[in-house]
Amino acid sequence: MADTTKEPENTYNSTPIDAGTHPEDQSTLVLETIPDGKTQYLSYHLGTKAFQRGKAAGVEFHESEWPLLIAEYDLSKRVLTTYPTWLRSNQNNFTKAKYRTIKRISFENQDPMEVQEGFGLFFDLPTGFRRTPFEGFGVDPRIRYIIDAFDDVSGIVGLTICDDSDISIDGEEVRLPESIYHEVRLNINRAHEAAVAFANGEKQSYLKNRLLPSVVPGFVGEEYERPAVDLQDTVRTALVKKGTPRSRNSNTSAAVRTVMRSVAELAQDNPVELFQLSERIEVVSLEMLIESMTKEMAKRHKEGFWQAYFLENPFVLKILFGLPVVMYTSQASVGGMGMERTGEKYADYLLEAGMFGNLAIVEIKTTETPLLTKQAYRLPSLYGPSVDLAGGVNQLLDQRLKLIKSIAQKKEDDGNYHVQAWSTPCILIIGVNPTEPDLQRSFEIYRGSQRDVLVITFDELLIKLKALHEFLITKPDDAQSP
């Protein structure tokens, strides 16, 4: 064991940082940055238990391969490169590359790798890509065909997800625009679902016609006739997004109407299938929301756009709370009107949080709103909050004070006696995360000191949506066959 796991001489000349330990097999991650600060390396180190499990599974270990480099980051180009590797130590493909041709997958415009206390390493990669290092990176098994599609391209070993408009080849790299990646990802997922649904329907029809004539008096075989839809047409239609193929017995609209009419009956007779349908709808809706928000964040929208956007997509705001919330109203009057009927304060959103009608205030800025001052407050590395950030925090505190003072009168005026302002959470959505370490530190110091206002950036909201999506689609028994 000692000889097998001996690490080669350190060629990076860097200070290693412990980036996490796998709870099952004690393998570890180490993050290193070379002295000139231009490149980061993330390596996977073999634990004793991981070695034993791998040996039991028939894995051959070679000293020259350790530690395994699984990711690196170019700080000057802002490019993250991952090396997809099977990292489940109890399987015989442990430490092998995940794909036959594509050995590395890169992502442009990424933030540096950073170990966050209590969270470890998390990568904000496009939907469908594995984001946690112990998963070995790569894509979810169901869409690995996107990677396999480039197996026949001679001389290609890398794939770069970029913001280009067209697919191209640059040396050993295929440059795949993220927009095209999402298009084909959704299409092949839709084709998979269509094929599974078709097969399940055929199985159900066969079983009913084969088994029921023996137990149901008067039952005539072939009574459960399947719609005249061909599997090939079903899959092809799903791939080109034309909807469900029409037949003499069904179409998309009719199917939706049938489900809507039969919800109560389905809940009683087939609760599992109804739950699966609901779950699938939620996942697809979340994918569409993530794609929509990603696209809109790339544009320079004003506050009015985001206020309308979150009003149309209230789910984005709901994930900010650890308890159920409902949209109460937008552009809400919270008080402050003087004798001359001036000075009234308005909040972007009021939400009912919890079971007791307690109100929360949400204020929206823009993705372009600066978080910090342009010049350091104390040289060389401490920056103060921008006027917009400090002003937004004070704006929320003022709105909360006015709401608490005027809540009794407003409840009587509106007739909504169930709402309360006992402990009013305040949330400010503003800007995007800084990319430079000094700016990140200054921002965290400032917002961490805000006891009464939660400051969250737009890209952190998007990460919350992606994390929820990953949780919903990840199954404990995800196949990891090579």
Side-chain angles (χ1 to χ4, degrees):
M1 172 63 191
D3 291 337
T4 304
T5 58
K6 179 181 176 181
E7 297 179 15
E9 182 180 353
N10 190 331
T11 58
Y12 304 151
N13 191 23
S14 60
T15 301
I17 299 174
D18 181 5
T21 300
H22 197 284
E24 291 185 6
D25 59 24
Q26 283 75 61
S27 54
T28 59
L29 299 172
V30 174
L31 179 63
E32 302 171 275
T33 304
I34 60 176
D36 62 8
K38 293 183 179 179
T39 309
Q40 294 177 306
Y41 297 96
L42 181 65
S43 56
Y44 175 91
H45 293 244
L46 190 65
T48 301
K49 188 174 181 179
F51 172 78
Q52 294 170 345
R53 295 174 72 178
K55 277 291 188 181
V59 178
E60 294 184 3
F61 294 96
H62 302 283
E63 180 180 346
S64 61
E65 297 176 350
W66 296 95
L68 291 176
L69 178 65
I70 60 173
E72 61 183 278
Y73 180 79
D74 187 321
L75 283 90
S76 59
K77 297 180 180 179
R78 300 192 70 237
V79 174
L80 173 71
T81 298
T82 63
Y83 299 93
T85 308
W86 295 112
L87 293 182
R88 288 193 178 179
S89 56
N90 61 344
Q91 297 188 2
N92 60 13
N93 57 10
F94 179 43
T95 74
K96 294 181 180 178
K98 286 191 173 181
Y99 310 115
R100 183 167 67 87
T101 298
I102 299 298
K103 303 303 181 184
R104 61 177 182 260
I105 301 177
S106 301
F107 304 88
E108 295 185 341
N109 299 317
Q110 290 290 311
D111 292 331
M113 291 185 278
E114 182 179 7
V115 180
Q116 298 183 8
E117 186 175 354
F119 294 94
L121 280 170
F122 181 83
F123 295 83
D124 183 23
L125 304 180
T127 300
F129 284 96
R130 298 294 196 183
R131 300 188 179 111
T132 55
F134 282 119
E135 293 180 317
F137 297 109
V139 296
D140 295 337
R142 204 168 70 173
I143 60 171
R144 65 165 295 161
Y145 305 103
I146 297 175
I147 309 299
D148 295 342
F150 298 106
D151 282 349
D152 295 330
V153 183
S154 177
I156 293 300
V157 296
L159 175 68
T160 297
I161 303 300
C162 58
D163 293 327
D164 300 351
S165 56
D166 298 305
I167 303 175
S168 62
I169 293 180
D170 182 9
E172 296 180 336
E173 301 280 327
V174 171
R175 293 182 59 81
L176 176 63
E178 184 174 346
S179 59
I180 296 178
Y181 160 75
H182 285 305
E183 176 191 341
V184 297
R185 176 182 63 82
L186 289 175
N187 286 347
I188 64 174
N189 276 340
R190 189 181 298 108
H192 175 83
E193 295 293 338
V196 170
F198 184 97
N200 287 340
E202 290 293 329
K203 289 184 288 185
Q204 188 177 50
S205 176
Y206 160 75
L207 290 170
K208 287 180 179 293
N209 289 315
R210 177 66 179 85
L211 303 178
L212 293 188
S214 300
V215 296
V216 177
F219 183 89
V220 179
E222 305 304 323
E223 183 172 325
Y224 286 91
E225 183 181 358
R226 287 282 291 156
V229 178
D230 180 74
L231 175 59
Q232 186 179 68
D233 288 342
T234 299
V235 173
R236 286 181 175 177
T237 300
L239 285 172
V240 296
K241 299 189 296 186
K242 292 182 179 179
T244 303
R246 293 181 178 272
S247 73
R248 65 177 184 269
N249 293 328
S250 75
N251 57 48
T252 303
S253 299
V256 172
R257 290 195 297 269
T258 299
V259 172
M260 292 176 64
R261 287 195 302 264
S262 309
V263 167
E265 182 179 347
L266 286 170
Q268 182 175 355
D269 297 338
N270 299 287
V272 174
E273 292 184 8
L274 184 60
F275 174 80
Q276 291 174 341
L277 174 62
S278 174
E279 185 180 45
R280 180 56 188 161
I281 291 172
E282 290 174 358
V283 169
V284 172
S285 299
L286 186 55
E287 289 179 353
M288 294 175 65
L289 179 57
I290 289 171
E291 291 181 19
S292 168
M293 189 169 174
T294 300
K295 184 182 300 182
E296 299 302 343
M297 281 179 57
K299 304 174 184 177
R300 303 174 66 90
H301 289 304
K302 296 182 179 180
E303 284 186 30
F305 170 86
W306 288 112
Q307 290 167 1
Y309 184 86
F310 290 134
L311 190 61
E312 294 174 358
N313 301 280
F315 179 76
V316 181
L317 300 181
K318 292 181 181 181
I319 64 171
L320 293 172
F321 296 84
L323 68 170
V325 297
V326 295
M327 179 71 73
Y328 184 68
T329 186
S330 62
Q331 292 301 303
S333 167
V334 295
M337 183 177 291
M339 296 293 291
E340 297 181 358
R341 305 190 68 78
T342 60
E344 183 69 6
K345 305 293 183 182
Y346 292 90
D348 286 342
Y349 301 101
L350 280 183
L351 281 75
E352 281 185 52
M355 300 174 61
F356 306 112
N358 194 47
L359 294 175
I361 304 175
V362 179
E363 189 68 25
I364 309 291
K365 299 305 179 184
T366 75
T367 56
E368 304 297 318
T369 304
L371 299 177
L372 301 163
T373 57
K374 293 184 178 179
Q375 301 297 325
Y377 176 72
R378 283 288 185 270
L379 295 176
S381 61
L382 184 63
Y383 294 79
S386 67
V387 172
D388 297 284
L389 176 56
V393 169
N394 281 344
Q395 179 184 4
L396 275 166
L397 293 175
D398 182 53
Q399 291 173 354
R400 185 180 69 167
L401 179 62
K402 297 295 192 297
L403 178 63
I404 293 173
K405 287 183 176 181
S406 63
I407 187 65
Q409 184 62 50
K410 290 188 176 299
K411 287 166 62 174
E412 184 173 343
D413 291 344
D414 295 340
N416 293 325
Y417 296 101
H418 70 287
V419 296
Q420 308 293 342
W422 291 321
S423 175
T424 305
C426 297
I427 298 177
L428 176 64
I429 303 175
I430 182 171
V432 295
N433 285 333
T435 57
E436 298 179 13
D438 289 340
L439 296 176
Q440 292 173 343
R441 183 169 64 90
S442 298
F443 176 56
E444 287 295 350
I445 289 173
Y446 177 75
R447 74 168 171 180
S449 68
Q450 302 305 307
R451 184 184 63 183
D452 297 320
V453 177
L454 171 64
V455 179
I456 187 168
T457 62
F458 279 82
D459 42 0
E460 286 172 334
L461 260 184
L462 187 59
I463 288 174
K464 283 179 176 285
L465 291 174
K466 291 180 178 180
L468 175 59
H469 176 266
E470 185 171 14
F471 171 80
L472 292 176
I473 66 173
T474 300
K475 305 299 182 183
D477 56 348
D478 267 353
Q480 290 224 10
S481 56

